Amino acid sequence: MNVIRRPFRYSYDNAVFVLIGLNVLIHIAIQLFRDIPFIFYLAMNPWLVVDRGWVWQFFTYMFVHSPHGITHILFNMFALFIFGRQVEHQMGTREFLLYYFLTGMLAGIFSFFAYWFTGNYMVFLMGASGAIFAVQLAFAVFFPSSIIHVWGILPLRAPVMVLGFTALQVVFMVTGTGGNVAHATHLAGFAFGWIYFSVRFGINPLRAMRR
């Protein structure tokens, strides 16, 4: 068997709840201990990665969300809760964690190069959105007939919702609209999720979503 496609022993250990808990705890710590520069150490900053070698930020940025209110973390954790539980149950916990962290880290590395070569050295990238876009893709691949009620009102098949939101990210990135959001990071997470399915599982996501 190809070692790249060798499956893990299946287990389901509710890792999604652990991830949500860690994100929430870090967000609470940022709010309570404002004298500690959590974002400085944990969010991904291109200059700090190059000048100080803080490469751990490619991993830790996924656990840090905007300290200005709860909207950023609320939407990300809600999406992780809705889609992540089903994807983890389908993949198994070990596969899910590999998928989540690998796509998130690669999205962070991609963003680092995008920021560096465009001169945005002092950006602080934070949030789990890159990995969550990959999780949403996985949900659409595994459950293409599922109906998602966007904003609780508009019923859409999972692939339509995921591809539609991804297309919006492309529009926002090209036009420069959509606010202070790392659209390239979201798209990178989606793209690396697509590659993961192709390489690891031998699945064409587009064909799977047409089922």
Side-chain angles (χ1 to χ4, degrees):
M1 181 182 294
N2 189 331
V3 66
I4 294 177
R5 295 185 179 174
R6 182 178 300 163
F8 293 110
R9 180 177 298 176
Y10 183 86
S11 66
Y12 179 60
D13 303 317
N14 291 305
V16 164
F17 290 103
V18 176
L19 290 172
I20 292 173
L22 288 172
N23 277 274
V24 170
L25 285 175
I26 291 173
H27 191 72
I28 292 173
I30 290 172
Q31 300 299 321
L32 293 179
F33 305 104
R34 294 184 178 272
D35 292 336
I36 302 176
F38 287 103
I39 291 176
F40 183 77
Y41 290 109
L42 301 180
M44 196 281 289
N45 173 259
W47 183 82
L48 291 172
V49 170
V50 172
D51 187 71
R52 302 193 183 183
W54 289 5
V55 293
W56 65 77
Q57 293 183 342
F58 291 133
F59 176 79
T60 57
Y61 88 94
M62 292 185 280
F63 293 93
V64 185
H65 290 78
S66 172
H68 307 298
I70 65 169
T71 302
H72 189 203
I73 189 171
L74 181 63
F75 276 100
N76 274 351
M77 294 304 101
F78 180 72
L80 182 58
F81 175 76
I82 294 298
F83 301 109
R85 290 176 305 140
Q86 302 298 323
V87 173
E88 181 188 355
H89 191 271
Q90 182 72 23
M91 285 185 167
T93 296
R94 292 179 180 86
E95 191 76 52
F96 173 78
L97 289 176
L98 175 62
Y99 180 76
Y100 183 88
F101 288 130
L102 184 60
T103 55
M105 289 176 64
L106 289 173
I109 293 170
F110 175 88
S111 300
F112 162 80
F113 284 108
Y115 288 138
W116 187 262
F117 288 112
T118 55
N120 294 305
Y121 308 128
M122 298 313 296
V123 170
F124 280 86
L125 178 67
M126 62 188 82
S129 301
I132 289 172
F133 260 71
V135 170
Q136 290 176 336
L137 170 66
F139 182 89
V141 170
F142 287 135
F143 310 105
S145 298
S146 295
I147 302 297
I148 307 298
H149 286 80
V150 181
W151 302 301
I153 302 173
L154 180 63
L156 294 175
R157 289 182 65 245
V160 175
M161 185 209 72
V162 170
L163 295 176
F165 280 6
T166 304
L168 281 176
Q169 295 299 309
V170 174
V171 172
F172 290 152
M173 185 176 67
V174 171
T175 62
T177 58
N180 185 24
V181 179
H183 303 298
T185 307
H186 299 172
L187 292 171
F190 180 89
F192 286 120
W194 194 289
I195 294 170
Y196 190 101
F197 268 90
S198 299
V199 174
R200 173 72 171 158
F201 299 136
I203 293 175
N204 182 327
L206 185 59
R207 185 175 299 168
M209 287 189 285
R210 289 175 174 171
R211 295 200 309 268

